[in-house]
């Protein structure tokens, strides 16, 4: 059972070569505890929730104007998604 443009063999090969997921205890890392406020502020127009909200919103807006397709957007910096 192949998906359009993807054979089962290539999918198996891709899955076999991927690294295991990174596991991080977000409760013990201050940066991750701040992430929900940062994302919420950038997504809802509430820059007062975290100082980085405006920057994240600007990057997101810029990328959405460059790429109409969210999946294509991942090509701008493929290293970030490894």
């Amino acid at each position: 059972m192949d998906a359009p443009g993807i054979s089962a063999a290539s999918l198996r090969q891709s899955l076999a070569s991927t690294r295991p997921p990174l596991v991080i205890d977000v409760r013990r890392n201050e940066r991750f505890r701040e992430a929900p406020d940062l994302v919420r502020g950038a997504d809802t127009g509430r820059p007062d929730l975290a100082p980085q909200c405006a920057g994240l919103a600007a990057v997101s807006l810029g990328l959405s104007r460059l790429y109409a397709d969210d999946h294509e957007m991942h090509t701008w910096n493929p290293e970030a998604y490894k």
Side-chain angles (χ1 to χ4, degrees):
M1 180 168 87
D2 292 347
I6 302 173
S7 70
S10 67
L11 182 58
R12 277 192 299 275
Q13 181 182 9
S14 175
L15 291 173
S17 66
T18 57
R19 291 183 266 173
L22 178 63
V23 178
I24 299 172
D25 186 351
V26 296
R27 296 167 296 180
R28 296 184 183 190
N29 188 315
E30 185 64 33
R31 290 181 182 173
F32 288 102
R33 282 186 281 187
E34 295 172 358
D37 288 338
L38 178 116
V39 173
R40 188 180 319 109
D43 193 39
T44 61
R46 291 278 318 275
D48 57 302
L49 294 178
Q52 304 89 342
C53 291
L56 179 59
V59 169
S60 178
L61 179 62
L63 287 172
S64 68
R65 290 199 176 164
L66 289 173
Y67 299 99
D69 179 12
D70 288 345
H71 296 287
E72 184 186 4
M73 188 183 299
H74 292 198
T75 63
W76 79 280
N77 185 3
E79 291 297 314
Y81 297 98
K82 287 187 177 181

